[in-house]
Amino acid sequence: MARIVVDVMLKPEILDPQGKAIANELPRIGLNNFTDVRQGKRFELTVEGEVTDALLEEARQAAEELLSNPVIEDVVNVSVLEA
């Protein structure tokens, strides 16, 4: 079995309150080198056998039509998860 990873992020122009909250808390725990945080989503799709270009295209279609909200999110990665 193989896994395909899909990463989805909010579009840059969309406010990210969870990312902002995390960014505000980092200095409190002594981590001062980060200037911004954006929160996203990760999906892992398991498939039987090898991942082909056709399967990657199906995963991209799923990402664009079901896993993300295209009004506010971008699909930023569709790739094979290496074991």
Side-chain angles (χ1 to χ4, degrees):
M1 286 200 272
R3 285 187 285 176
I4 298 172
V5 173
V6 175
D7 294 313
V8 176
M9 295 293 294
L10 288 170
K11 292 181 182 259
E13 62 272 16
I14 301 298
L15 294 176
D16 181 0
Q18 185 173 358
K20 183 63 83 182
I22 294 166
N24 289 339
E25 289 300 311
L26 288 171
R28 188 182 67 73
I29 61 171
L31 303 173
N32 299 302
N33 293 311
F34 304 103
T35 59
D36 191 31
V37 175
R38 299 287 290 173
Q39 177 261 327
K41 299 186 285 188
R42 174 186 168 123
F43 299 90
E44 292 185 7
L45 308 172
T46 303
V47 298
E48 293 291 333
E50 290 186 44
V51 177
T52 63
D53 289 342
L55 277 174
L56 282 173
E57 185 53 39
E58 283 186 36
R60 179 164 291 285
Q61 182 179 356
E64 292 173 354
E65 295 180 17
L66 180 65
L67 304 178
S68 68
N69 177 346
V71 174
I72 63 169
E73 296 173 319
D74 290 325
V75 175
V76 296
N77 177 55
V78 177
S79 61
V80 178
L81 179 64
E82 300 298 330

